[in-house]
Amino acid sequence: MQLFAVLLWAVLGLCAGQKPCCTPDQWEGTTQELQGFLVDDKLGTVYGTVEVSYDFTNQKLALAENLNETGSGNTKLKVIQDYKKGTQYAIQGNSCMEFALKGSMRKQCIPDNATHIGTFSFGGMAPDGLECDAFMTTVAGMDNVYAISDMTRDGCYPVTQVSVNLMREHSTMTTQVFTDVTPGIKDPSIFTPPVPPCDKVVLEDTTELGSDFLKRVRRSFEQFI
């Protein structure tokens, strides 16, 4: 089915060669997530939502997961990243932990080396549908990890993304549908950690915060868009 979609976009593309774009510096939305995985010969699924608040202007990112995973049940976790302060917070129920955050925040852009598959109308024929551009991307140095990202032609907002990670002991296929996406940040307090202050924790590798799925969601902001 995915191959058919790729071929269809290639045939019906209205503007071949469209250049990669960057999302607005501030936007919010909810991703509907579905993932199938094969880990150490174990098959499973993860499904649910992740609420995203992306603020490149003020160097902040908030992700709130509500996900269900085979064998693990429901997980609710919120992660707040403040790159200016170099601080990251993980909030789960009444528990809150503070971690050091290293590195700089990446601007969400389709990479320059992405392949433009084509332009299409999402949800109906133009002018009633949403005009989008589809790009295929591989992670640098990892030919077995790739994604197809659909972005709006007007504004470069994310619409859908299908990513595949073909590893010998850990393979995944993830579908993300971005819903209720709006420009700007409606309430800046979304980036405010709980009071009293969170417990400080020394953790060298903060990519291990949260469920396996939330880790992969966070990495998608660094790898593809």
Side-chain angles (χ1 to χ4, degrees):
M1 184 64 183
Q2 186 63 46
L3 178 59
F4 173 77
V6 171
L7 293 174
L8 184 62
W9 287 332
V11 172
L12 298 182
L14 301 179
C15 185
Q18 177 71 13
K19 293 182 179 180
C21 60
C22 297
T23 71
D25 285 347
Q26 293 180 323
W27 62 269
E28 295 179 302
T30 300
T31 63
Q32 310 292 330
E33 312 274 0
L34 175 61
Q35 181 183 90
F37 62 83
L38 174 62
V39 179
D40 297 328
D41 296 326
K42 175 186 175 183
L43 290 170
T45 59
V46 181
Y47 65 91
T49 61
V50 177
E51 297 178 7
V52 179
S53 295
Y54 169 79
D55 187 349
F56 188 76
T57 301
N58 295 299
Q59 299 286 286
K60 296 178 180 180
L61 175 68
L63 300 171
E65 73 165 348
N66 184 359
L67 301 169
N68 299 278
E69 183 171 354
T70 301
S72 300
N74 180 260
T75 299
K76 293 182 180 179
L77 176 73
K78 179 177 180 179
V79 174
I80 300 172
Q81 297 179 328
D82 188 329
Y83 284 85
K84 285 185 177 180
K85 292 183 178 180
T87 305
Q88 180 170 229
Y89 306 92
I91 303 105
Q92 189 167 27
N94 295 323
S95 174
C96 177
M97 295 181 290
E98 178 184 331
F99 306 85
L101 180 62
K102 300 179 181 179
S104 57
M105 186 175 185
R106 292 192 182 184
K107 188 173 177 63
Q108 286 189 332
C109 298
I110 298 294
D112 291 337
N113 63 349
T115 300
H116 180 242
I117 298 174
T119 301
F120 66 99
S121 182
F122 189 86
M125 297 299 292
D128 299 323
L130 183 65
E131 189 176 20
C132 300
D133 287 293
F135 298 91
M136 185 168 180
T137 309
T138 59
V139 179
M142 299 179 67
D143 293 336
N144 55 350
V145 181
Y146 64 93
I148 293 177
S149 303
D150 301 330
M151 315 295 289
T152 62
R153 170 60 65 86
D154 183 13
C156 192
Y157 289 95
V159 179
T160 66
Q161 180 169 273
V162 177
S163 56
V164 178
N165 183 349
L166 300 177
M167 306 292 288
R168 183 179 296 276
E169 297 179 353
H170 193 158
S171 296
T172 63
M173 182 171 183
T174 306
T175 299
Q176 296 172 291
V177 179
F178 294 80
T179 61
D180 299 326
V181 176
T182 55
I185 302 296
K186 292 184 288 294
D187 184 1
S189 67
I190 192 72
F191 301 111
T192 303
V195 177
C198 301
D199 295 330
K200 291 189 176 181
V201 178
V202 177
L203 185 65
E204 288 297 324
D205 187 4
T206 56
T207 61
E208 294 305 308
L209 287 174
S211 71
D212 288 341
F213 189 55
L214 185 59
K215 298 170 197 172
R216 291 189 286 272
V217 170
R218 217 174 299 128
R219 288 166 187 160
S220 74
F221 282 85
E222 299 178 355
Q223 293 177 344
F224 302 122
I225 60 174

